[in-house]
Amino acid sequence: MSDDNKQAFNLEDDSDLNDNEVFHSDEENNKKNQDNQWIDELRLALKGGCDLGSIRSIGKCRSLTDDLRLSVWKTCLNINDINEYDYVDSDVFDLPEQNLIREDVLRLVRSLKINKDIEASRLSDIEAVLTFYCKKYNENYEKDNGWIDMLKPLVTLDYKNRAELYALFVSIRNRYIPRFCETDGMPFHLFRLLLLYHDPELCSFFDTRKITPDLYAHIWVRSLYAGTCSSDVTLHLWDGYFQHADQFFIFFLALVLLMFAKEQLFEMVDKEKNEVIDFISKAPANLTTDDLEDFCSLANHYASNTPQSFRKEFCSCLFDETDRTTSQKAYSVQQALCLPVSAKELLQANQLGGKEGVRYFIVDCRPAEQYNSKHLYTAFHLDANLLLEDPKEFGGTVDALRATQKHSIEAGATAGGDHLCFMGSGRDEEDKYVRMVVAYFLRRNIKYISIASGGYR
Amino acid sequence: MSRPGHFKMVLLGESAVGKSSLALRFAKGQYQDHAESTIGAAFLTHTLQIDADTTLKVELWDTAGQERYHSLAPMYYRGAQAALVVYDITNADSLSQAKKWVKELRTANGIDMIIGLAGNKADLATTVNKRKVDAREVAEYADDNQLIFMETSAKRGDNVSEIFMNVARQVAMKQPTNTLNKPQGAFPPTKPKPKGNSSCCSSSDSKS
């Protein structure tokens, strides 16, 4: 991308990118100068011991130069030089799975194509780090658990000692790799809901084939894409990722990968399940460093066009080891028909108005007498009972709702919004009607469908 | 309770056993390869000619088999006079799920509900080792539970209209005559009609 003003993670209007062909070389020179400028600025800031905030405002999530990478990553990951992760060096490699570890480490180091001396030291460093990690956290090393993939970009850095390599590894794992990245794991159920939110048709394509996201995305999520992207791409992706510091960004990147592949997926309608999984799981391998800017700005676009409250809801159970609400949340996310939105977010969005962020069109599905006695002044009432009593007429009511929604968006009304949020009473029996209505909308492949958690209060 | 000449019926069963395919074959006589999974429930109607002077409109709720929609099933089977529970003859688990549905329906709607049990994908029975459910065992289970049982093939059309027709006939037999779709006033309302033995359904083919 040639526009200097364009921030790596900001989707902006492309209009000012056109018609500049004539000045191309000029622009390139300018770009080089400015590139150097921000890098020098960043180098200076790092020397002064800057924090993540200043790195982000200078770096703007752009790819870094090799010499700055380690110190930027360390700052972003909040790693200082006092061995806070309590690494204890040892050459006792005696885990039951030690042979497996050694094999994988050897394969990794060979693939780096570095000279023999460095190769030997990298080899023992990685093995030491993995072995210590297993012992400390009482975890077993398994093939395909993503650890070795995560270490691949890390060993290309000029790290000071094993303690530092270990700190990088642990910090990235704790911060950015969601817990329970296993079959039927919570991160994948959550991802399904995000996919459903943005593309019900594609979600249904996968559901029909019983292809759950863990089948194709586990290697993406477990290794923060290092397992499938080329080494170069991983380094640049992580440059942006750690500056951006959004723990949920991994899901939005995955969403973009699916969108990129959507057309091809739909052409695979008569293909075997495994073939589809194989095709989509390799999607990140096609990325080049040139694609990254678009890749990330699209992901950012999806992130900002998604209700925010799910983050708060799931952050601690996905990323905090001490969280105890996990099993309950895992069940709720697995059974959810669509993304939940907190009442707080709904009210805030309603009050703020304006063009920023997600704008909701609220559909109140409570029984008429409850709606009549009190309701949000912007809410549209939809009689859910009609869906059972007279399905044909209900269809007509839904068409009217869609027309009203369209009209209020065009008119710029506060009640207008692309995002349909359904609201019940919060009472289980009545809310079954709301869920039924939600399913009806999803069936019509309507996107941006959410449900107000807890209902009207 | 029900409108004249109409009855409500629900399709239940595990995902991918062919509920929507049966519904499509029944209502439109069509079959579609690679059909998409049903979300929530689909609603369709089809009018059946029970006999020379009785027609019945079936209001069919084709529910989603995916587990996340199970909690909604009661919304659709509540007040339904009939159900068709479907399993896939190449999938033994789907029969267990079908039995669970039968149990749930009997608990919720009682013995009055007419329940059909369809062992679908019968066309695959000819493929070696595909069949995983023995028809005789299911027939026995169906007898014990008063179910109308048939093996069907939505793909080839085998037994599809037959099983719907049999269910509809039994519904017609159970329904008081005055709710059937006869020309209004054709029968005086005072005419005695013992339940389950009404004239319109007493013909010999009513239990075929």
Side-chain angles (χ1 to χ4, degrees):
Chain A
M1 288 272 157
S2 53
D3 191 338
D4 299 321
N5 299 324
K6 191 165 177 182
Q7 297 181 3
F9 281 57
N10 255 339
L11 191 80
E12 282 169 12
D13 196 342
D14 277 355
S15 56
D16 55 353
L17 283 177
N18 305 328
D19 307 323
N20 282 338
E21 292 297 314
V22 193
F23 307 105
H24 198 71
S25 58
D26 260 6
E27 199 176 85
E28 208 132 82
N29 286 337
N30 268 336
K31 187 185 172 210
K32 281 225 173 82
N33 285 338
Q34 237 167 314
D35 270 359
N36 291 338
Q37 243 170 46
W38 75 264
I39 285 166
D40 291 342
E41 201 183 331
L42 188 57
R43 188 174 291 123
L44 210 66
L46 285 165
K47 275 195 187 120
C50 66
D51 60 1
L52 172 59
S54 16
I55 286 183
R56 203 185 318 191
S57 67
I58 302 167
K60 299 195 173 89
C61 301
R62 281 175 283 201
S63 298
L64 304 161
T65 51
D66 291 346
D67 61 316
L68 293 181
R69 182 163 292 128
L70 179 62
S71 43
V72 171
W73 285 15
K74 276 174 67 183
T75 310
C76 293
L77 297 166
N78 201 15
I79 295 168
N80 50 37
D81 289 321
I82 54 164
N83 191 17
E84 65 202 297
Y85 291 94
D86 300 325
Y87 177 77
V88 182
D89 202 26
S90 157
D91 282 316
V92 184
F93 298 155
D94 55 357
L95 292 170
E97 67 270 32
Q98 204 72 48
N99 283 337
L100 185 64
I101 297 181
R102 191 158 298 160
E103 268 172 41
D104 283 358
V105 174
L106 198 63
R107 194 174 310 120
L108 163 64
V109 174
R110 291 267 154 81
S111 75
L112 294 173
K113 299 191 174 69
I114 42 180
N115 85 47
K116 287 283 171 212
D117 291 345
I118 308 175
E119 190 177 292
S121 80
R122 292 292 191 256
L123 199 82
S124 53
D125 287 351
I126 303 171
E127 186 166 2
V129 162
L130 284 176
T131 306
F132 182 75
Y133 183 82
C134 288
K135 287 180 178 172
K136 174 143 185 219
Y137 289 88
N138 207 10
E139 286 201 55
N140 293 326
Y141 179 84
E142 283 164 34
K143 242 189 166 33
D144 301 327
N145 66 2
W147 300 355
I148 198 88
D149 301 312
M150 287 175 60
L151 280 158
K152 193 173 176 179
L154 295 181
V155 289
T156 65
L157 303 177
D158 199 14
Y159 56 88
K160 188 170 58 187
N161 50 30
R162 288 178 187 178
E164 190 167 273
L165 179 64
Y166 179 78
L168 285 161
F169 175 71
V170 175
S171 177
I172 296 171
R173 259 192 73 71
N174 288 350
R175 238 168 239 261
Y176 291 119
I177 311 294
R179 300 159 76 208
F180 315 107
C181 284
E182 57 222 8
T183 308
D184 220 26
M186 180 161 53
F188 302 112
H189 286 295
L190 177 61
F191 176 65
R192 183 189 163 276
L193 289 184
L194 292 169
L195 173 62
L196 179 71
Y197 194 79
H198 289 279
D199 198 325
E201 195 186 5
L202 188 54
C203 187
S204 169
F205 173 90
F206 285 120
D207 287 349
T208 298
R209 282 150 195 85
K210 296 193 165 55
I211 299 175
T212 49
D214 52 294
L215 295 173
Y216 56 84
H218 72 272
I219 186 65
W220 308 351
V221 178
R222 282 172 164 191
S223 66
L224 199 59
Y225 295 98
T228 36
C229 288
S230 71
S231 305
D232 259 8
V233 170
T234 306
L235 287 174
H236 290 193
L237 180 68
W238 285 14
D239 284 344
Y241 207 98
F242 300 151
Q243 293 177 62
H244 191 48
D246 172 3
Q247 290 178 302
F248 289 91
F249 205 58
I250 200 163
F251 298 116
F252 294 105
L253 290 172
L255 208 52
V256 177
L257 287 169
L258 294 189
M259 296 305 172
F260 280 166
K262 182 175 167 177
E263 256 173 63
Q264 277 165 288
L265 282 167
F266 284 167
E267 281 165 15
M268 298 180 88
V269 62
D270 53 354
K271 293 280 192 289
E272 287 293 320
K273 177 177 170 178
N274 285 338
E275 215 174 315
V276 178
I277 294 170
D278 193 51
F279 164 75
I280 189 65
S281 62
K282 287 182 180 143
N286 303 325
L287 289 169
T288 65
T289 47
D290 290 340
D291 297 328
L292 281 181
E293 192 171 333
D294 284 349
F295 182 42
C296 293
S297 40
L298 275 169
N300 213 32
H301 171 72
Y302 282 114
S304 60
N305 212 12
T306 304
Q308 299 297 309
S309 44
F310 84 94
R311 293 166 176 265
K312 201 174 163 204
E313 176 86 8
F314 295 106
C315 189
S316 84
C317 56
L318 283 179
F319 295 102
D320 182 359
E321 262 180 79
T322 60
D323 188 271
R324 296 276 171 263
T325 63
T326 303
S327 63
Q328 174 205 340
K329 292 237 170 96
Y331 182 76
S332 80
V333 73
Q334 197 174 339
Q335 293 298 317
L337 289 196
C338 64
L339 205 63
V341 174
S342 75
K344 195 176 162 202
E345 179 174 7
L346 212 52
L347 289 172
Q348 274 173 356
N350 209 349
Q351 281 158 2
L352 287 175
K355 300 253 178 252
E356 291 297 301
V358 174
R359 308 261 290 124
Y360 296 98
F361 185 81
I362 300 169
V363 184
D364 195 328
C365 296
R366 292 174 303 150
E369 67 273 14
Q370 286 178 36
Y371 175 83
N372 288 337
S373 79
K374 205 175 184 202
H375 62 87
L376 294 174
Y377 78 101
T378 50
F380 183 102
H381 184 246
L382 183 64
D383 180 6
N385 205 27
L386 195 62
L387 173 54
L388 285 175
E389 282 171 359
D390 194 339
K392 286 218 171 77
E393 195 176 326
F394 182 81
T397 317
V398 168
D399 292 336
L401 181 151
R402 297 287 282 166
T404 310
Q405 181 192 13
K406 191 164 171 261
H407 184 75
S408 60
I409 293 169
E410 281 162 4
T414 23
D418 285 323
H419 299 250
L420 281 166
C421 186
F422 292 85
M423 185 181 271
S425 64
R427 278 181 288 273
D428 211 32
E429 222 12 69
E430 288 163 3
D431 280 356
K432 278 190 183 158
Y433 286 91
V434 186
R435 288 158 56 81
M436 215 169 59
V437 172
V438 164
Y440 179 93
F441 277 76
L442 292 174
R443 199 177 138 64
R444 285 177 52 164
N445 280 337
I446 295 169
K447 59 180 179 178
Y448 303 146
I449 301 289
S450 61
I451 202 160
S453 38
Y456 185 90
R457 263 172 292 186
Chain B
M1 44 174 238
S2 80
R3 284 159 286 177
H6 296 246
F7 78 94
K8 183 175 158 183
M9 181 168 176
V10 60
L11 270 169
L12 292 165
E14 200 175 282
S15 73
V17 294
K19 295 179 293 300
S20 301
S21 295
L22 283 170
L24 184 67
R25 173 64 76 185
F26 167 62
K28 299 212 172 114
Q30 296 166 351
Y31 179 78
Q32 199 189 351
D33 275 316
H34 313 298
E36 289 289 297
S37 223
T38 303
I39 299 165
F43 178 77
L44 37 107
T45 59
H46 188 59
T47 304
L48 284 175
Q49 190 78 33
I50 302 291
D51 57 35
D53 48 13
T54 316
T55 59
L56 262 183
K57 187 174 166 198
V58 188
E59 297 175 339
L60 187 63
W61 282 102
D62 169 25
T63 68
Q66 286 174 39
E67 207 200 317
R68 63 178 61 87
Y69 295 109
H70 280 191
S71 66
L72 293 182
M75 308 291 288
Y76 301 106
Y77 67 62
R78 194 179 291 154
Q81 287 95 323
L84 183 62
V85 178
V86 187
Y87 69 92
D88 167 0
I89 65 151
T90 69
N91 174 358
D93 286 343
S94 71
L95 177 64
S96 321
Q97 183 61 47
K99 288 178 176 176
K100 277 187 210 158
W101 281 122
V102 169
K103 208 171 159 190
E104 185 173 332
L105 287 171
R106 286 286 183 233
T107 312
N109 288 20
I111 198 72
D112 276 346
M113 185 184 217
I114 310 297
I115 304 178
L117 179 64
N120 196 35
K121 306 195 187 177
D123 52 287
L124 295 177
T126 49
T127 317
V128 187
N129 289 336
K130 273 277 195 181
R131 177 187 281 279
K132 293 286 183 298
V133 178
D134 182 55
R136 280 164 307 180
E137 280 171 33
V138 183
E140 233 170 81
Y141 160 80
D143 265 357
D144 294 345
N145 292 276
Q146 284 102 49
L147 312 174
I148 301 166
F149 168 60
M150 282 183 178
E151 286 199 343
T152 58
S153 165
K155 188 169 187 169
R156 287 198 311 227
D158 305 350
N159 276 344
V160 178
S161 50
E162 285 81 355
I163 195 161
F164 277 99
M165 187 60 101
N166 282 6
V167 169
R169 282 205 184 98
Q170 290 218 9
V171 171
M173 276 169 58
K174 284 212 171 183
Q175 279 199 11
T177 320
N178 60 7
T179 67
L180 288 178
N181 194 16
K182 296 269 171 78
Q184 288 298 303
F187 291 91
T190 49
K191 195 172 176 178
K193 289 282 171 207
K195 201 180 177 189
N197 193 24
S198 52
S199 60
C200 65
C201 299
S202 60
S203 54
S204 60
D205 61 349
S206 71
K207 275 206 159 176
S208 62

